[in-house]
Amino acid sequence: MGGPFRYWLCGGVLLLLALLYGFRPGQETLLQIQGPDLLGQVLEGTLGEFERQIDLAEKEGRLVPGEARRLPLRIAPLPQGLRPKQAVSFRKLLEATVDRTRLPSGAPPDTEATPYLAPSFLAGPPGLTLTLTYDPDQGLLGMEARCTAEPFSTSQPFEARSQRYLATFSSLIPAFLVLFLAILTGRTIPSLLAGVLLGVVMFRGPLLGLWYFASDYLVQRILMDSFQLQVLGFVMLLSAAIGLMTRTGGIEGLVDLVRKFARTARTSQLVTWVMGHLIFFDDYANSIIVGSTMRPLTDKLKVSREKLAYIVDSTAAPIAGLVPLSTWVAVEISYFQSQLGLVTAPDGSSLEGKGFFVFLETMPFRFYCILTLFMVLMTIVLKREFGPMLRAERRARHEGKPLDDDARPMVQVREELATTKAGVQPDWRAGFFPILSLILVTIGLIVYTGVMALRESDPQYWETLGAQRSWFENITTVIGQAESAWAIFWGSFTAVSIASLMAITGRIMSPKETLTTTVRSMGTLGFAVAILILAWCIGFICADLGTRHYLSAMASAGKDLYWLLPSLLFIIACIVAFATGSSWATMAILLPNVVLMANDLGQGTDIGSYGLVILSLGAVMEGAIFGDHCSPISDTTVLSSVATSSDHLHHVQTQAPYALLVMTVALTIGYIPVAAFGLSPWLAMAFGAITIVLFLLLIGRDPERDAAP
């Protein structure tokens, strides 16, 4: 990566940080957006500490077991500094949060007494008083719990406190430090580690921060979290399966088979693009299967790893986010479904329970995803590249180097693992059947876990299934409830098992050699696993510091200009996902707030409330995916680099200009004209596609025709 371009990117990161500083949200806005989340944290912390004290007193014999747990609860008047609407919402949240906590197991039942953890706002003397505190000068939200019932308030005093700070501008610094150092130094792991350590020190202090990093982030949130372990597991198992398929001649056989359709660099890229559309059910599975399968072929046909990673990354999330039968869609719908009851369709009917219908209505406004898929296709068909990608493609075509000389691929493959075993004839079946088992088992378990989850949550589900929803919506609901990481983990395990069985029964490798190949193939992922873990950690620290809340609070700055709302939400979603590396987290924090805001602002306007709601929902979902594409700390970007064995930063730096081009087109030709002037979204899509084609023809260059500089 050229020095001047790297410095320009560093300057862009600093400029963006300066602009965000200039648009700092007020504390009132932060309290409105982050307050409910903080309130849940302080309530949980306060009651948890009080519970611990009661448990200790009962063990020491200072209290009769269960007696203190039947104290009636009273919540003191809310503090000054809250607006009336905030006070009402806080009080409702207090009631709902307290209501979720019941008598501990083993406590004696008493139908007459009120458990102290049940909502009971009594006029009489309370047993336990919760007092909410708020310091506007420091932005500090806290809570105190005090036992006021005799004899506990005198002979055995019990009290607990918990407090949390509202997010400040400093919550952006760890994430932006990672971006700045990664671009400046070209080293991902030290940059991520620096951002994580700075963040935990800011959150907990120097000594406690390091302990918090080890005990909470690494142990509690990763090593003891089933989802994170399943992601690590299926990445390592897939690496093992690929190693086995390579040694047994399966990958080479598949390459020879696909070469009938892909004989040139262009057609190999086109096949990769098509495969990215076929594996639509999950973005993780898409990246791993397509990237690892096509990499040997594209290497032979002189396609750069950067271009392969771009095709893989830019088809995985957009396809999963658009196709209704994917693991993404039901999750996206769940984020805004609960707010739809307050919105009416143009015909006056209520939208309650019509989340799937609303999602389909956003399709014409999914400018970024659709135009990204179109641009990937156009770079292949027109043979046009620009920026760092052009240099990478020239290097691959003219010098035969898929990787740059200074590249550090995410998968460090040993030479003996990268080729077919000597004397073994390539056989496509040794690669086809493990991959087929991976796909079939993954799909089957996605459906199975989704069905089981729905049966558990709603015992009457099957009786009401056909009467209330279409079959298409039912399938989407099932997929949305599925445990996709668990399904892909066992799909990967099945692929390894079948690849091992075929290697042993085919007398290609002995059991010992098969086990050795499996372990060594997993060992090639040390660099990738370290990046993935640290990327998760920087996401944790952003959540603890309130980075997403701080950035989303800026969206309210332009809410009075209704026609700018979709564009503003799109930009905010881009920034949030870019800074945190998570499109799902971005949608989780923004989508619940979008429906009512857009509904209120759209009343009496040309576009109408319903139109502005649909357009704004599409803008948030699109901005989240864009930010995910450009962020080096995104797990999907990391997985794309892993699957294609690309240098991670080279992948980010070559993909970013392409994503920025589509983002600019989506904003200026899509969201602004549609919201401000009522332009048809399909016309906007067509104009955007024409703009991309003209840009590639005028600015782009053919890497094969032009001589290498």
Side-chain angles (χ1 to χ4, degrees), residues 272-284:
T272 305
W273 184 81
V274 172
M275 288 181 64
H277 286 67
L278 296 178
I279 311 297
F280 59 81
F281 53 87
D282 186 82
D283 58 326
Y284 283 4

Side-chain angles (χ1 to χ4, degrees), residues 447-469:
V447 174
Y448 173 77
T449 56
V451 169
M452 291 298 102
L454 285 173
R455 279 183 170 177
E456 183 178 352
S457 61
D458 185 3
Q460 305 298 321
Y461 177 75
W462 297 112
E463 296 181 9
T464 61
L465 183 63
Q468 296 183 358
R469 301 174 180 176

Side-chain angles (χ1 to χ4, degrees), residues 578-608:
F578 180 77
T580 62
S582 174
S583 55
W584 280 28
T586 302
M587 290 186 285
I589 192 64
L590 291 180
L591 285 179
N593 300 314
V594 164
V595 174
L596 297 183
M597 182 188 301
N599 183 64
D600 292 342
L601 293 179
Q603 293 180 5
T605 63
D606 294 336
I607 193 173

Side-chain angles (χ1 to χ4, degrees), residues 439-512:
I439 295 174
L440 293 180
V441 171
T442 299
I443 293 176
L445 290 179
I446 283 176
V447 174
Y448 173 77
T449 56
V451 169
M452 291 298 102
L454 285 173
R455 279 183 170 177
E456 183 178 352
S457 61
D458 185 3
Q460 305 298 321
Y461 177 75
W462 297 112
E463 296 181 9
T464 61
L465 183 63
Q468 296 183 358
R469 301 174 180 176
S470 66
W471 68 269
F472 195 69
E473 189 173 357
N474 288 328
I475 295 176
T476 304
T477 303
V478 168
I479 294 176
Q481 294 291 324
E483 298 181 22
S484 58
W486 186 83
I488 302 175
F489 173 82
W490 286 107
S492 305
F493 180 82
T494 305
V496 172
S497 301
I498 291 180
S500 301
L501 187 63
M502 295 182 70
I504 296 172
T505 58
R507 299 182 183 276
I508 300 174
M509 292 190 294
S510 65
K512 180 180 179 181

Side-chain angles (χ1 to χ4, degrees), residues 161-390:
R161 294 180 179 84
S162 181
Q163 58 187 21
R164 295 288 190 278
Y165 285 93
L166 290 173
T168 63
F169 177 77
S170 62
S171 65
L172 305 179
I173 294 178
F176 276 83
L177 176 66
V178 173
L179 300 174
F180 181 81
L181 291 179
I183 296 172
L184 182 65
T185 65
R187 304 184 66 185
T188 309
I189 291 181
S191 303
L192 282 167
L193 186 59
V196 171
L197 293 179
L198 174 64
V200 294
V201 167
M202 291 171 57
F203 187 59
R204 292 290 186 181
L207 297 179
L208 288 178
L210 296 176
W211 170 254
Y212 189 73
F213 168 63
S215 63
D216 189 80
Y217 290 177
L218 296 182
V219 176
Q220 293 290 334
R221 303 197 198 185
I222 295 179
L223 296 181
M224 296 184 67
D225 183 273
S226 59
F227 177 81
Q228 316 289 9
L229 288 179
Q230 287 160 6
V231 171
L232 292 175
F234 82 65
V235 169
M236 298 183 72
L237 286 171
L238 278 171
S239 179
I242 292 166
L244 289 169
M245 289 186 291
T246 301
R247 294 294 286 162
T248 56
I251 294 296
E252 189 173 352
L254 283 175
V255 168
D256 292 340
L257 188 64
V258 175
R259 288 189 78 164
K260 297 178 181 179
F261 307 96
R263 300 176 182 272
T264 65
R266 178 194 283 182
T267 53
S268 69
Q269 295 176 65
L270 187 60
V271 169
T272 305
W273 184 81
V274 172
M275 288 181 64
H277 286 67
L278 296 178
I279 311 297
F280 59 81
F281 53 87
D282 186 82
D283 58 326
Y284 283 4
N286 187 311
S287 298
I288 294 295
I289 294 173
V290 177
S292 59
T293 302
M294 294 303 299
R295 184 180 66 214
L297 177 60
T298 54
D299 281 356
K300 287 186 178 182
L301 296 176
K302 297 183 179 181
V303 177
S304 67
R305 295 276 179 86
E306 292 92 333
K307 183 61 184 294
L308 177 62
Y310 165 65
I311 298 173
V312 169
D313 200 4
S314 296
T315 53
I319 283 294
L322 287 172
V323 176
L325 300 179
S326 75
T327 54
W328 276 55
V329 172
V331 176
E332 293 173 320
I333 293 173
S334 67
Y335 290 148
F336 61 81
Q337 171 94 317
S338 60
Q339 306 291 334
L340 293 179
L342 301 175
V343 181
T344 57
D347 60 2
S349 62
S350 174
L351 292 177
E352 186 172 5
K354 297 183 179 179
F356 185 75
F357 170 77
V358 170
F359 172 81
L360 293 179
E361 289 279 271
T362 66
M363 284 296 182
F365 307 104
R366 304 296 296 272
F367 298 116
Y368 177 77
C369 282
I370 295 175
L371 291 176
T372 292
L373 295 172
F374 177 78
M375 178 164 173
V376 175
L377 178 62
M378 287 299 100
T379 62
I380 298 170
V381 173
L382 299 177
K383 296 172 64 174
R384 290 292 188 272
E385 312 289 350
F386 63 93
M389 188 71 78
L390 175 61

Side-chain angles (χ1 to χ4, degrees), residues 419-437:
T419 57
T420 303
K421 183 181 177 181
V424 175
Q425 291 296 322
D427 186 353
W428 62 270
R429 292 172 295 183
F432 175 78
F433 287 110
I435 293 176
L436 179 64
S437 68

